[in-house]
Amino acid sequence: MGTVHERIDDGIRSFVLAQHVFFVATAPSSGGHVNVSPKGVEGSFVVLDDRTVAYVDLTASGAETIAHLRDDGRITLMFCAFEGPPNIVRLYGRGRFVTLYDDGFAELAALFPETRGARAVVVVDVDRVSDSCGYGVPLLDYAGERHLLPEFMERKGPDGTAAYRRRRNRASIDGLPAFDMDPEVEVDAAPSAAAAPAATSTP
């Protein structure tokens, strides 16, 4: 069972902010697939207060977390110590998301150093904080960050990233509505060919 804490105290806060990767688990309200996503872009997670945390949701090939938050709202974040003393922290709660098209997105996004390709900020209202021993978690050496995802989305640009989301993020693997907020792009009709000039007779 580990230890249940009343809130995100200073010790818990310091531990979760020091981790290079965390895991996000969500599930639909009925049936379907449970999803677990690793999150590891440096600076993508913040503690807002002793009951609220947030992270940047970058555009990627799926949108299961957003689909499940729309459907159900339950979410768990897990942080493991891969170096130093063993420990596992889990933050349970209800999640909501603020998309790049919503009021308040700019204020939240300003909390994070990396927002290239961001489609939303996920905010979690934490209702249970626990830690456990982590004795079964291996020791791993941190070699550095991968910057591939933000750079990939930056090369696409805003229009290309939105087009990518329209292709990849509109529904979950179970068919639930996911990130379908990008406006559709109206394609102008192809201009008709100019009418050929009337033939004239030569004298």
mmCIF file of all heavy atoms in Angstrom, residues 141-171:
data_model
loop_
_atom_site.group_PDB
_atom_site.id
_atom_site.type_symbol
_atom_site.label_atom_id
_atom_site.label_comp_id
_atom_site.label_asym_id
_atom_site.label_seq_id
_atom_site.Cartn_x
_atom_site.Cartn_y
_atom_site.Cartn_z
ATOM 1 N N ASP A 141 20.947 4.981 -16.029
ATOM 2 C CA ASP A 141 21.701 6.221 -16.201
ATOM 3 C C ASP A 141 20.969 7.134 -17.177
ATOM 4 O O ASP A 141 20.539 6.711 -18.256
ATOM 5 C CB ASP A 141 23.102 5.928 -16.739
ATOM 6 C CG ASP A 141 23.974 5.228 -15.717
ATOM 7 O OD1 ASP A 141 23.768 5.482 -14.510
ATOM 8 O OD2 ASP A 141 24.834 4.424 -16.120
ATOM 9 N N TYR A 142 20.840 8.404 -16.800
ATOM 10 C CA TYR A 142 20.213 9.399 -17.666
ATOM 11 C C TYR A 142 21.265 9.917 -18.650
ATOM 12 O O TYR A 142 22.281 10.472 -18.258
ATOM 13 C CB TYR A 142 19.672 10.539 -16.813
ATOM 14 C CG TYR A 142 19.165 11.723 -17.612
ATOM 15 C CD1 TYR A 142 18.018 11.616 -18.386
ATOM 16 C CD2 TYR A 142 19.835 12.941 -17.566
ATOM 17 C CE1 TYR A 142 17.545 12.696 -19.110
ATOM 18 C CE2 TYR A 142 19.369 14.030 -18.282
ATOM 19 C CZ TYR A 142 18.229 13.903 -19.049
ATOM 20 O OH TYR A 142 17.770 14.979 -19.778
ATOM 21 N N ALA A 143 21.019 9.714 -19.951
ATOM 22 C CA ALA A 143 21.995 10.088 -20.977
ATOM 23 C C ALA A 143 21.679 11.419 -21.642
ATOM 24 O O ALA A 143 22.547 11.991 -22.307
ATOM 25 C CB ALA A 143 22.074 8.995 -22.048
ATOM 26 N N GLY A 144 20.468 11.936 -21.469
ATOM 27 C CA GLY A 144 20.122 13.207 -22.086
ATOM 28 C C GLY A 144 18.732 13.189 -22.685
ATOM 29 O O GLY A 144 18.048 12.162 -22.696
ATOM 30 N N GLU A 145 18.337 14.360 -23.178
ATOM 31 C CA GLU A 145 17.006 14.523 -23.750
ATOM 32 C C GLU A 145 16.987 14.182 -25.238
ATOM 33 O O GLU A 145 17.976 14.389 -25.940
ATOM 34 C CB GLU A 145 16.520 15.967 -23.574
ATOM 35 C CG GLU A 145 16.283 16.383 -22.141
ATOM 36 C CD GLU A 145 15.075 15.695 -21.534
ATOM 37 O OE1 GLU A 145 14.034 15.576 -22.228
ATOM 38 O OE2 GLU A 145 15.170 15.255 -20.371
ATOM 39 N N ARG A 146 15.856 13.679 -25.697
ATOM 40 C CA ARG A 146 15.585 13.595 -27.132
ATOM 41 C C ARG A 146 14.742 14.809 -27.510
ATOM 42 O O ARG A 146 13.674 15.022 -26.949
ATOM 43 C CB ARG A 146 14.822 12.315 -27.471
ATOM 44 C CG ARG A 146 15.655 11.045 -27.417
ATOM 45 C CD ARG A 146 14.860 9.904 -28.051
ATOM 46 N NE ARG A 146 15.638 8.684 -28.104
ATOM 47 C CZ ARG A 146 15.475 7.646 -27.281
ATOM 48 N NH1 ARG A 146 14.570 7.720 -26.313
ATOM 49 N NH2 ARG A 146 16.213 6.560 -27.411
ATOM 50 N N HIS A 147 15.211 15.577 -28.471
ATOM 51 C CA HIS A 147 14.486 16.778 -28.893
ATOM 52 C C HIS A 147 13.741 16.545 -30.203
ATOM 53 O O HIS A 147 13.303 17.503 -30.858
ATOM 54 C CB HIS A 147 15.465 17.938 -29.043
ATOM 55 C CG HIS A 147 16.220 18.253 -27.777
ATOM 56 N ND1 HIS A 147 15.635 18.893 -26.707
ATOM 57 C CD2 HIS A 147 17.495 17.979 -27.401
ATOM 58 C CE1 HIS A 147 16.523 19.030 -25.724
ATOM 59 N NE2 HIS A 147 17.649 18.475 -26.125
ATOM 60 N N LEU A 148 13.580 15.289 -30.575
ATOM 61 C CA LEU A 148 13.037 14.959 -31.898
ATOM 62 C C LEU A 148 11.606 15.445 -32.082
ATOM 63 O O LEU A 148 11.263 15.996 -33.135
ATOM 64 C CB LEU A 148 13.108 13.446 -32.121
ATOM 65 C CG LEU A 148 14.514 12.834 -32.099
ATOM 66 C CD1 LEU A 148 14.430 11.318 -32.189
ATOM 67 C CD2 LEU A 148 15.350 13.395 -33.237
ATOM 68 N N LEU A 149 10.743 15.235 -31.086
ATOM 69 C CA LEU A 149 9.332 15.567 -31.270
ATOM 70 C C LEU A 149 9.101 17.067 -31.432
ATOM 71 O O LEU A 149 8.458 17.488 -32.403
ATOM 72 C CB LEU A 149 8.504 14.998 -30.114
ATOM 73 C CG LEU A 149 6.988 15.220 -30.208
ATOM 74 C CD1 LEU A 149 6.423 14.608 -31.490
ATOM 75 C CD2 LEU A 149 6.287 14.619 -28.984
ATOM 76 N N PRO A 150 9.595 17.923 -30.513
ATOM 77 C CA PRO A 150 9.387 19.362 -30.732
ATOM 78 C C PRO A 150 9.982 19.855 -32.049
ATOM 79 O O PRO A 150 9.373 20.687 -32.739
ATOM 80 C CB PRO A 150 10.072 20.005 -29.526
ATOM 81 C CG PRO A 150 10.092 18.948 -28.480
ATOM 82 C CD PRO A 150 10.274 17.668 -29.235
ATOM 83 N N GLU A 151 11.163 19.352 -32.405
ATOM 84 C CA GLU A 151 11.792 19.793 -33.655
ATOM 85 C C GLU A 151 11.005 19.317 -34.869
ATOM 86 O O GLU A 151 10.884 20.038 -35.868
ATOM 87 C CB GLU A 151 13.225 19.280 -33.707
ATOM 88 C CG GLU A 151 14.137 19.953 -32.668
ATOM 89 C CD GLU A 151 15.517 19.337 -32.626
ATOM 90 O OE1 GLU A 151 15.754 18.329 -33.352
ATOM 91 O OE2 GLU A 151 16.370 19.849 -31.868
ATOM 92 N N PHE A 152 10.461 18.110 -34.799
ATOM 93 C CA PHE A 152 9.641 17.574 -35.885
ATOM 94 C C PHE A 152 8.418 18.447 -36.116
ATOM 95 O O PHE A 152 8.072 18.787 -37.256
ATOM 96 C CB PHE A 152 9.224 16.138 -35.540
ATOM 97 C CG PHE A 152 8.313 15.490 -36.536
ATOM 98 C CD1 PHE A 152 8.764 15.150 -37.808
ATOM 99 C CD2 PHE A 152 6.998 15.198 -36.201
ATOM 100 C CE1 PHE A 152 7.931 14.527 -38.724
ATOM 101 C CE2 PHE A 152 6.151 14.587 -37.109
ATOM 102 C CZ PHE A 152 6.619 14.244 -38.377
ATOM 103 N N MET A 153 7.745 18.841 -35.027
ATOM 104 C CA MET A 153 6.549 19.673 -35.157
ATOM 105 C C MET A 153 6.908 21.095 -35.583
ATOM 106 O O MET A 153 6.162 21.739 -36.316
ATOM 107 C CB MET A 153 5.769 19.680 -33.841
ATOM 108 C CG MET A 153 5.153 18.329 -33.508
ATOM 109 S SD MET A 153 4.077 17.732 -34.849
ATOM 110 C CE MET A 153 3.874 16.016 -34.370
ATOM 111 N N GLU A 154 8.053 21.585 -35.130
ATOM 112 C CA GLU A 154 8.475 22.922 -35.541
ATOM 113 C C GLU A 154 8.702 22.977 -37.045
ATOM 114 O O GLU A 154 8.336 23.961 -37.706
ATOM 115 C CB GLU A 154 9.743 23.319 -34.795
ATOM 116 C CG GLU A 154 10.200 24.751 -35.090
ATOM 117 C CD GLU A 154 11.429 25.128 -34.293
ATOM 118 O OE1 GLU A 154 12.338 24.286 -34.151
ATOM 119 O OE2 GLU A 154 11.490 26.268 -33.807
ATOM 120 N N ARG A 155 9.292 21.928 -37.609
ATOM 121 C CA ARG A 155 9.504 21.893 -39.058
ATOM 122 C C ARG A 155 8.188 21.883 -39.823
ATOM 123 O O ARG A 155 8.096 22.434 -40.919
ATOM 124 C CB ARG A 155 10.344 20.673 -39.435
ATOM 125 C CG ARG A 155 11.804 20.759 -39.029
ATOM 126 C CD ARG A 155 12.650 19.703 -39.715
ATOM 127 N NE ARG A 155 12.220 18.356 -39.390
ATOM 128 C CZ ARG A 155 12.673 17.655 -38.351
ATOM 129 N NH1 ARG A 155 13.566 18.205 -37.528
ATOM 130 N NH2 ARG A 155 12.250 16.429 -38.142
ATOM 131 N N LYS A 156 7.176 21.275 -39.258
ATOM 132 C CA LYS A 156 5.871 21.238 -39.919
ATOM 133 C C LYS A 156 5.204 22.607 -39.924
ATOM 134 O O LYS A 156 4.419 22.910 -40.823
ATOM 135 C CB LYS A 156 4.948 20.224 -39.222
ATOM 136 C CG LYS A 156 5.265 18.781 -39.557
ATOM 137 C CD LYS A 156 4.242 17.861 -38.928
ATOM 138 C CE LYS A 156 4.415 16.433 -39.421
ATOM 139 N NZ LYS A 156 4.188 16.293 -40.865
ATOM 140 N N GLY A 157 5.473 23.430 -38.914
ATOM 141 C CA GLY A 157 4.821 24.723 -38.791
ATOM 142 C C GLY A 157 3.402 24.569 -38.278
ATOM 143 O O GLY A 157 2.857 23.457 -38.228
ATOM 144 N N PRO A 158 2.757 25.669 -37.889
ATOM 145 C CA PRO A 158 1.400 25.590 -37.318
ATOM 146 C C PRO A 158 0.389 24.924 -38.247
ATOM 147 O O PRO A 158 -0.402 24.078 -37.807
ATOM 148 C CB PRO A 158 1.040 27.060 -37.054
ATOM 149 C CG PRO A 158 2.357 27.751 -36.905
ATOM 150 C CD PRO A 158 3.293 27.052 -37.838
ATOM 151 N N ASP A 159 0.398 25.277 -39.519
ATOM 152 C CA ASP A 159 -0.577 24.694 -40.447
ATOM 153 C C ASP A 159 -0.305 23.202 -40.659
ATOM 154 O O ASP A 159 -1.233 22.388 -40.686
ATOM 155 C CB ASP A 159 -0.550 25.429 -41.788
ATOM 156 C CG ASP A 159 -1.080 26.847 -41.684
ATOM 157 O OD1 ASP A 159 -1.773 27.156 -40.695
ATOM 158 O OD2 ASP A 159 -0.787 27.655 -42.602
ATOM 159 N N GLY A 160 0.959 22.844 -40.809
ATOM 160 C CA GLY A 160 1.297 21.446 -41.000
ATOM 161 C C GLY A 160 1.005 20.603 -39.774
ATOM 162 O O GLY A 160 0.566 19.446 -39.887
ATOM 163 N N THR A 161 1.231 21.179 -38.586
ATOM 164 C CA THR A 161 0.945 20.453 -37.350
ATOM 165 C C THR A 161 -0.552 20.240 -37.188
ATOM 166 O O THR A 161 -1.002 19.159 -36.777
ATOM 167 C CB THR A 161 1.512 21.216 -36.145
ATOM 168 O OG1 THR A 161 2.924 21.405 -36.324
ATOM 169 C CG2 THR A 161 1.280 20.448 -34.854
ATOM 170 N N ALA A 162 -1.349 21.270 -37.515
ATOM 171 C CA ALA A 162 -2.806 21.121 -37.448
ATOM 172 C C ALA A 162 -3.295 20.065 -38.439
ATOM 173 O O ALA A 162 -4.174 19.264 -38.128
ATOM 174 C CB ALA A 162 -3.483 22.461 -37.713
ATOM 175 N N ALA A 163 -2.713 20.052 -39.628
ATOM 176 C CA ALA A 163 -3.091 19.040 -40.615
ATOM 177 C C ALA A 163 -2.745 17.642 -40.112
ATOM 178 O O ALA A 163 -3.505 16.684 -40.321
ATOM 179 C CB ALA A 163 -2.397 19.323 -41.947
ATOM 180 N N TYR A 164 -1.599 17.509 -39.458
ATOM 181 C CA TYR A 164 -1.184 16.226 -38.877
ATOM 182 C C TYR A 164 -2.204 15.763 -37.837
ATOM 183 O O TYR A 164 -2.592 14.590 -37.812
ATOM 184 C CB TYR A 164 0.194 16.402 -38.255
ATOM 185 C CG TYR A 164 0.772 15.168 -37.611
ATOM 186 C CD1 TYR A 164 1.554 14.285 -38.341
ATOM 187 C CD2 TYR A 164 0.557 14.900 -36.257
ATOM 188 C CE1 TYR A 164 2.106 13.154 -37.747
ATOM 189 C CE2 TYR A 164 1.097 13.773 -35.657
ATOM 190 C CZ TYR A 164 1.864 12.911 -36.408
ATOM 191 O OH TYR A 164 2.399 11.798 -35.813
ATOM 192 N N ARG A 165 -2.649 16.693 -36.968
ATOM 193 C CA ARG A 165 -3.643 16.333 -35.952
ATOM 194 C C ARG A 165 -4.965 15.925 -36.591
ATOM 195 O O ARG A 165 -5.628 14.996 -36.107
ATOM 196 C CB ARG A 165 -3.861 17.495 -34.985
ATOM 197 C CG ARG A 165 -2.705 17.738 -34.018
ATOM 198 C CD ARG A 165 -3.106 18.693 -32.908
ATOM 199 N NE ARG A 165 -3.397 20.018 -33.420
ATOM 200 C CZ ARG A 165 -2.543 21.020 -33.449
ATOM 201 N NH1 ARG A 165 -1.303 20.849 -32.997
ATOM 202 N NH2 ARG A 165 -2.890 22.207 -33.915
ATOM 203 N N ARG A 166 -5.372 16.620 -37.653
ATOM 204 C CA ARG A 166 -6.625 16.243 -38.305
ATOM 205 C C ARG A 166 -6.550 14.816 -38.856
ATOM 206 O O ARG A 166 -7.557 14.106 -38.871
ATOM 207 C CB ARG A 166 -6.968 17.236 -39.414
ATOM 208 C CG ARG A 166 -7.511 18.573 -38.904
ATOM 209 C CD ARG A 166 -8.106 19.406 -40.026
ATOM 210 N NE ARG A 166 -7.082 19.878 -40.937
ATOM 211 C CZ ARG A 166 -6.432 21.037 -40.804
ATOM 212 N NH1 ARG A 166 -6.708 21.836 -39.775
ATOM 213 N NH2 ARG A 166 -5.508 21.405 -41.674
ATOM 214 N N ARG A 167 -5.369 14.400 -39.283
ATOM 215 C CA ARG A 167 -5.204 13.043 -39.807
ATOM 216 C C ARG A 167 -5.071 12.010 -38.695
ATOM 217 O O ARG A 167 -5.572 10.890 -38.820
ATOM 218 C CB ARG A 167 -3.963 12.954 -40.703
ATOM 219 C CG ARG A 167 -4.041 13.724 -41.997
ATOM 220 C CD ARG A 167 -2.932 13.295 -42.958
ATOM 221 N NE ARG A 167 -1.602 13.358 -42.367
ATOM 222 C CZ ARG A 167 -0.820 14.438 -42.381
ATOM 223 N NH1 ARG A 167 -1.257 15.558 -42.949
ATOM 224 N NH2 ARG A 167 0.383 14.413 -41.830
ATOM 225 N N ARG A 168 -4.406 12.359 -37.595
ATOM 226 C CA ARG A 168 -3.988 11.358 -36.611
ATOM 227 C C ARG A 168 -4.706 11.424 -35.262
ATOM 228 O O ARG A 168 -4.705 10.426 -34.532
ATOM 229 C CB ARG A 168 -2.488 11.501 -36.342
ATOM 230 C CG ARG A 168 -1.578 11.330 -37.546
ATOM 231 C CD ARG A 168 -1.527 9.903 -38.033
ATOM 232 N NE ARG A 168 -0.465 9.691 -38.995
ATOM 233 C CZ ARG A 168 0.762 9.269 -38.691
ATOM 234 N NH1 ARG A 168 1.072 9.022 -37.445
ATOM 235 N NH2 ARG A 168 1.669 9.091 -39.637
ATOM 236 N N ASN A 169 -5.279 12.579 -34.910
ATOM 237 C CA ASN A 169 -5.702 12.802 -33.520
ATOM 238 C C ASN A 169 -7.203 12.946 -33.312
ATOM 239 O O ASN A 169 -7.641 13.223 -32.199
ATOM 240 C CB ASN A 169 -5.026 14.063 -32.957
ATOM 241 C CG ASN A 169 -3.534 13.934 -32.754
ATOM 242 O OD1 ASN A 169 -2.874 14.902 -32.383
ATOM 243 N ND2 ASN A 169 -2.966 12.769 -32.988
ATOM 244 N N ARG A 170 -7.997 12.769 -34.322
ATOM 245 C CA ARG A 170 -9.426 13.068 -34.192
ATOM 246 C C ARG A 170 -10.185 12.022 -33.366
ATOM 247 O O ARG A 170 -11.232 12.328 -32.792
ATOM 248 C CB ARG A 170 -10.066 13.209 -35.570
ATOM 249 C CG ARG A 170 -9.550 14.411 -36.341
ATOM 250 C CD ARG A 170 -10.237 14.535 -37.694
ATOM 251 N NE ARG A 170 -11.659 14.810 -37.555
ATOM 252 C CZ ARG A 170 -12.164 16.031 -37.402
ATOM 253 N NH1 ARG A 170 -11.367 17.085 -37.370
ATOM 254 N NH2 ARG A 170 -13.461 16.206 -37.287
ATOM 255 N N ALA A 171 -9.683 10.800 -33.304
ATOM 256 C CA ALA A 171 -10.382 9.750 -32.564
ATOM 257 C C ALA A 171 -9.363 8.851 -31.872
ATOM 258 O O ALA A 171 -8.211 8.732 -32.297
ATOM 259 C CB ALA A 171 -11.267 8.926 -33.499
#
